[in-house]
Structures are given as structure tokens and as C-alpha cells.
Amino acid sequence: MDSWELVDGPIGPLLLLATPRGLAGVVFHARPEVCARFLDRAAGRLGARPERDAGSPVLAEAIPQLTGYLAGELWSFSLPLDWSLLPGGSEGFNGRVLRELAASVPYGSVVGYGELARRVGRPGGAQAVGTAMGANPLPVVVPCHRVVESDGGVGGFSGGLETKRRLLALEGVLPEPLF
């Protein structure tokens, strides 16, 4: 059964969605209306509306790992991932980019959009990499916050720039925000 739960933390509430195959979604700013919209869309892709159940096997692994990461106590995730919510699936361009990101950009480091495009065999594809980051159904776990502009700018982020800055500060890439 597909299940979901909320996790509260220093970047606000997150909704975690799991299928029996793995973690399938992480949603920022998980207010009731955001959750309802996301769960409706997920139901369309998964075939049924997920049920709230923190005790599902995947969520039982994911919640403590995410909590540990947000507390600065965990540097990498070891979770099964389900790419069902990724447009094009894990084998399309978006999937190749996200898998490369997860495999080659560790905690505390960053990569430029253009460099990531080069790594997946698409030199000059920085914009396409940005689109892939925006399509990432598993932010934080698949660390799209670690992708930055080549000129030193932080770039965009589905969870908002303040959230991206906080995650990069957590990993020691940026100084802690003043407020």
C-alpha cells in the first residue's frame, strides 16, 4: 500500500510518500492544502490515493534518516527509491541527471548545472539540468539543493531559495542564515 507521513524540521514540514518499492516523494511546505494537491496528483500516477501510515516499512526507514540528516547527524541516505512520480521515469534524461547527482555529489559539496549536464553527456545542457532539478520528486534525499550556478549563485529550488540556503548551510557550504 502507498503511504505518507509528515516530518517536521528546521526547514518546515515535509510530506514523505512511499510505495512498497521505495520512497517516492518528498514535498516541502506541507501545509494541508499543499498535501491535498500533491496526494491527488500522486493518486493519479500511482492508481490509488496513498494512506497516512508512518509505520509502513519504507517510511519507518525514511523518517529517522531524514530527521537525522536535518539534525546534521546523517550525511547520506540509504533508502530504496521509487521513481514513479518522475516524469519520464528513471531511465529518461531527468532520471539520468538525478541518478548522477545522487551518486557523485556528496554531502558538503556542490556542482554546477553545466558540469552536471556534461557528466550525463549533454554539454551545453545546463537549462535541461535545471528542468530536471525542478522535476525531482525526492528533494533532499536526491540532493538537488547541491546544484548551483557556475558564477556562484545558488540557482533555483522547488522548496524556495531560503530552504536551499538552509540546506547548504546545514552541509557547511554556506554560512548559517542570520535569521
Side-chain angles (χ1 to χ4, degrees):
M1 173 175 70
D2 302 333
S3 55
W4 66 276
E5 188 53 79
L6 295 176
V7 174
D8 224 352
I11 58 172
L14 299 171
L15 181 147
L16 303 183
L17 172 67
T19 71
R21 295 174 302 280
L23 188 66
V26 176
V27 178
F28 293 106
H29 314 295
R31 297 176 303 277
E33 64 278 7
V34 171
C35 293
R37 279 194 310 271
F38 173 77
L39 292 169
D40 286 344
R41 284 194 315 271
R45 296 288 302 257
L46 300 172
R49 188 174 176 90
E51 299 291 327
R52 190 168 190 176
D53 179 12
S56 81
V58 172
L59 290 177
E61 282 184 66
I63 291 170
Q65 286 189 40
L66 192 63
T67 302
Y69 168 81
L70 293 171
E73 300 164 356
L74 182 79
W75 289 16
S76 65
F77 294 94
S78 58
L79 296 168
L81 302 179
D82 178 348
W83 296 98
S84 297
L85 301 180
L86 178 65
S90 66
E91 298 307 314
F93 178 76
N94 291 349
R96 288 195 325 268
V97 169
L98 293 171
R99 285 193 329 272
E100 175 65 24
L101 170 65
S104 68
V105 185
Y107 184 99
S109 62
V110 295
V111 65
Y113 292 93
E115 171 59 20
L116 192 52
R118 188 192 62 70
R119 290 182 188 181
V120 297
R122 193 157 174 193
Q127 248 182 339
V129 166
T131 299
M133 295 304 104
N136 182 5
L138 295 160
V140 180
V141 176
V142 177
C144 52
H145 61 279
R146 295 180 190 153
V147 182
V148 298
E149 296 174 347
S150 60
D151 66 1
V154 295
F157 192 60
S158 63
L161 293 181
E162 183 58 31
T163 301
K164 185 171 187 173
R165 285 185 190 102
R166 287 183 177 276
L167 291 170
L168 291 172
L170 172 74
E171 295 187 15
V173 175
L174 291 177
E176 286 290 331
L178 296 176
F179 47 89

